[in-house]
Structure formats: C-alpha cells, structure tokens
Amino acid sequence: STITFDALSGTSTITSGGASFYNLTFNDGGGTAVFEMQDALTASGSLAISGGTLDAKAGGNHGITVAGNWTNNDTFLARSGTVTFSSTTTSQVLGPTNFYNLTIGTAGKEMLFSTSSEDIIGVTNLFTAAGSSGNLIKLYSMSSSTQWHFLPTGSRAVSYVDVRDAACESGTISMVAVNSTNSGSNGSCWSFVSTDPAVIRAETASDGSGAVAALQNLIAGNSITVYAITRDGAGNFLQNAAADAWTLENKTGGVVN
C-alpha cells in the first residue's frame, strides 16, 4: 500500500512514531508545501517526493531508510542526516538529490541510477557502500553503457562493490573502491584496488591531500589536529579511518606516540 501526504502550502510535520511505511509519497500539488520530519522514516517499499520539500529538520537531522526506489521530483533537505538503502531489493534512484550521508547498507544489493544529465547524485559528507566477498553491491546505471552522474564531495568508505557507468562530476573526490570490480565506462575519479589498507598514518588533511604529521613540540596552550588516513601498499589514499580528527590539547611534558 501507499501512504500519500498531501498539502498545498505551509509546513506539515511528519511523525512516524517508529512505525514503518511501505510506499511513501509526498505531494504538494504544484504548491509550496514543506513536509518536516519529526523522527526517522522507514519505507520498506519506495519513497517518492512528487512535489514539495521533504525536510529532515534543522537540528533534528533525521534519517531515512528505504528498501526500494527513491524518486525526487522536487526538493529534499538532508540537513546532516543519513539516507540508507536497505535490503537486497533492487533500488532505482531518480531525480537530482543532494544527500548528506548516503549509505548502501546491504551486501548484494543492486542500485540503478538515472542516466539523465540533470539527475546528479550528490553526497556532501560521507558515501558508504560496503558489500562482502561474493556479495558485491552493484552501482549501475539504469541503461547499460550510458553513464549516471555522481558528485561526492566529502569522504567515502567503499569496498566490495561492482561499479559500472559511473561518471564523475566536476568537484568529485577520489573514489577508491577496495576489493571491488570495475565493470567499465567509469569516470577518471574511480580507482580499484584489490587490497585492504596497508598503513594508517597520522596526516594533516582529512582527504589525503596533506602530509604525514611531523614530530613537533607543542607550546603550552596550543594544539595539533591530525587525521587517521589509510593508504594501500602503493601509497594511494583510501579513506579517513575515523569520523573525526584527533586533537591533542594541554599535554604537559613527555612524548606522545
């Protein structure tokens, strides 16, 4: 069954109370309605923004879990929330969408992305896709040999995936896929390494563009911030291994390793 939230204008609050929907649709009938989430949403089928704005709520940053398709024909405000695609059901992603965190959470899942040049899939913080050996997550276009459009600009944790027809929009970060398959027609931002991280180093930038943090003395009251960066055996940047930087403050005397 499908639950449809209709409104022409104003802000409607959406509270799931922990209940799961099957198919979920938001529709403003060509108006200006905002549908503001008050808690996390789960659609065990598909989710469609036919019209209006679906807002994860400033300060709430509520997450969305979808098992089936995602269609965005208007506006999605992710705030600092996470959208997770669950289950092994094949999911289609249609419509331009900027996610904050995007997680493909089930090994063996197949994701099919629209090939329309307008349907750019952005991820401003963290893109996660982690399958398993023998159960790769497939990141394909909806039309073989025609590219889908990807714009991750934050960080990524990608392993055991099969990637095909993935274009790299301007500004895309380096997409290193560990223990993964290159099925062809992918953009130059993609690289595939059949190895797990060989080293973790304390470096000066979260995206791998910095240098190894040098030995140094800290003056009382000062601090140093470094990042846990993983690299493969060839020195290629894989990912920032920790969500946050490590910051050392107010250490008096001694040596810190």
Side-chain angles (χ1 to χ4, degrees):
S1 61
T2 299
I3 300 296
T4 301
F5 291 96
D6 285 312
L8 289 175
S9 60
T11 298
S12 300
T13 58
I14 308 298
T15 303
S16 73
S20 175
F21 300 92
Y22 186 65
N23 293 327
L24 190 55
T25 298
F26 300 91
N27 183 28
D28 70 352
T32 59
V34 174
F35 303 95
E36 185 183 73
M37 296 166 52
Q38 303 302 299
D39 58 4
L41 288 179
T42 297
S44 57
S46 298
L47 185 146
I49 306 170
S50 297
T53 297
L54 178 58
D55 187 353
K57 190 178 182 180
N61 306 314
H62 299 300
I64 299 174
T65 299
V66 181
N69 300 332
W70 173 281
T71 303
N72 180 20
N73 290 324
D74 205 325
T75 304
F76 173 58
L77 295 180
R79 304 296 182 178
S80 296
T82 299
V83 173
T84 301
F85 284 90
S86 63
S87 85
T88 56
T89 301
T90 297
S91 293
Q92 296 184 350
V93 181
L94 302 100
T97 305
N98 279 319
F99 299 99
Y100 182 73
N101 295 324
L102 176 60
T103 298
I104 317 300
T106 306
K109 188 172 183 66
E110 183 170 345
M111 301 290 299
L112 300 177
F113 296 90
S114 167
T115 59
S116 170
S117 60
E118 297 180 352
D119 290 355
I120 297 174
I121 303 303
V123 184
T124 60
N125 191 55
L126 175 63
F127 174 69
T128 303
S132 61
S133 180
N135 287 287
L136 304 185
I137 291 173
K138 295 180 179 179
L139 306 176
Y140 289 177
S141 74
M142 293 175 62
S143 177
S144 181
S145 299
T146 303
Q147 289 186 316
W148 56 280
H149 302 272
F150 196 33
L151 181 56
T153 56
S155 58
R156 78 290 178 266
V158 180
S159 61
Y160 293 104
V161 297
D162 179 358
V163 187
R164 187 185 70 199
D165 302 323
C168 305
E169 298 298 304
S170 177
T172 296
I173 61 172
S174 173
M175 294 298 298
V176 180
V178 179
N179 295 324
S180 297
T181 298
N182 178 4
S183 285
S185 191
N186 295 307
S188 60
C189 68
W190 287 93
S191 59
F192 298 82
V193 293
S194 56
T195 180
D196 289 315
V199 295
I200 300 178
R201 306 194 310 203
E203 299 188 11
T204 57
S206 62
D207 62 359
S209 63
V212 174
L215 293 175
Q216 55 192 284
N217 294 320
L218 292 181
I219 299 172
N222 290 351
S223 64
I224 180 174
T225 300
V226 296
Y227 300 84
I229 300 301
T230 59
R231 294 186 180 275
D232 64 19
N236 296 308
F237 170 67
L238 297 178
Q239 64 179 330
N240 178 8
D244 300 307
W246 300 344
T247 301
L248 174 66
E249 296 180 348
N250 300 323
K251 170 70 178 177
T252 302
V255 176
V256 177
N257 294 318

